[in-house]
Amino acid sequence: MLKLGAAGIFLSQNTAGQFVLQLASLGITVLSKSFPPAGTTNLLLAGVAQGDQRYIGWFGAYVEQKS
């Protein structure tokens, strides 16, 4: 069994027409094993259009929880 979850999914657009998709606290579970095992993973996807050119970029961050 495969599960994909996120605490929040946000899509925004600024005045220049750029889109940003944010996946907050992203996690994957496969057969009762979770990734990341302890911590928080956030992912940002950004799309930009300049004339006929289209670009997509991404940024990921992982913060390990300390006990």
Side-chain angles (χ1 to χ4, degrees), residues 32-58:
S32 74
K33 298 287 185 181
S34 296
F35 177 78
T40 303
T41 302
N42 294 331
L43 181 65
L44 297 173
L45 298 172
V48 178
Q50 294 179 341
D52 291 340
Q53 300 290 328
R54 307 271 190 260
Y55 301 98
I56 189 166
W58 65 276

Side-chain angles (χ1 to χ4, degrees), residues 4-58:
L4 176 64
I9 299 173
F10 308 99
L11 178 64
S12 60
Q13 180 182 16
N14 65 14
T15 56
Q18 300 168 338
F19 286 95
V20 176
L21 176 66
Q22 178 182 1
L23 302 170
S25 298
L26 187 63
I28 298 172
T29 302
V30 178
L31 298 173
S32 74
K33 298 287 185 181
S34 296
F35 177 78
T40 303
T41 302
N42 294 331
L43 181 65
L44 297 173
L45 298 172
V48 178
Q50 294 179 341
D52 291 340
Q53 300 290 328
R54 307 271 190 260
Y55 301 98
I56 189 166
W58 65 276

